[in-house]
Amino acid sequence: VACVIYFGVLHLLDGRAKSYLEEVRQSNRSLYLTILRQTQGFDTYLAEYTELEGYDSFRPLTPVFLVGRWTMRDEPMRLSPGTTPTECSNPLTLNYGLLLEHDAGGLTLSVQYRINGKIVEVRNAATGIMPIHLVSYGGQLDHIEFVPPGESETVYGYLCGR
């Protein structure tokens, strides 16, 4: 009998949590996405973010999780979650529909973004589409992997500033 009551209460609480999340989804997208990311991980967050923010087609606005300055490294780094590299060498900045490579002679490209699964496609009229692969652990985006414009080798990008 106690087992039946216990599972009945769990079912009731699960229903209330789903209702609450749906209410927050409608009233406060930012909070909803934060809750989703923390409770269900980055992959679930990314799918919902893509749908809610309209990134299933190209948009000039940089996705919020990519905005900032990224250090580009030739080899993967091992960092604790939430930490940044001590040095922001060879940086790339993604912001306001622009891609800026500071150490490549000041390359600046006007770009648009689309999310396709765990890949952000960055499109420029001159260079075409550059796929950025998102590598996440749990609810955190750990790093990005991509081939910079005009290059042939994959680099590993780590957020080093907003």
Side-chain angles (χ1 to χ4, degrees):
V1 173
C3 234
V4 171
I5 293 173
Y6 175 74
F7 285 112
V9 169
L10 281 181
H11 181 70
L12 175 68
L13 292 175
D14 187 48
R16 291 177 76 186
K18 285 179 184 175
S19 296
Y20 170 74
L21 272 179
E22 187 55 39
E23 180 183 317
V24 172
R25 184 179 195 262
Q26 300 301 321
S27 64
N28 188 340
R29 275 199 243 181
S30 178
L31 176 60
Y32 169 73
L33 289 168
T34 299
I35 291 169
L36 201 63
R37 188 175 188 165
Q38 292 172 348
T39 60
Q40 296 184 27
F42 188 82
D43 292 352
T44 303
Y45 159 84
L46 185 62
E48 195 71 6
Y49 180 84
T50 301
E51 179 184 329
L52 289 175
E53 300 298 330
Y55 280 99
D56 47 354
S57 57
F58 283 101
R59 301 189 53 196
L61 189 63
T62 308
V64 295
F65 52 85
L66 281 183
V67 171
R69 195 172 192 166
W70 298 80
T71 180
M72 295 187 288
R73 306 294 175 111
D74 294 331
E75 299 291 327
M77 299 175 69
R78 300 290 178 236
L79 297 172
S80 298
T83 61
T84 58
T86 55
E87 185 181 316
C88 193
S89 59
N90 194 18
L92 170 90
T93 300
L94 300 170
N95 207 356
Y96 302 111
L98 296 175
L99 181 148
L100 303 119
E101 278 192 66
H102 302 279
D103 291 350
L107 175 69
T108 301
L109 299 174
S110 178
V111 295
Q112 294 183 330
Y113 303 86
R114 175 174 65 190
I115 300 172
N116 184 4
K118 287 196 70 169
I119 298 172
V120 176
E121 297 171 335
V122 181
R123 179 175 71 181
N124 173 267
T127 60
I129 293 178
M130 175 182 76
I132 296 179
H133 300 266
L134 307 173
V135 179
S136 61
Y137 301 107
Q140 298 292 320
L141 177 60
D142 184 66
H143 68 277
I144 58 178
E145 298 176 3
F146 61 100
V147 178
E151 301 292 327
S152 59
E153 298 294 320
T154 298
V155 296
Y156 303 87
Y158 295 87
L159 189 64
C160 58
R162 291 265 180 214

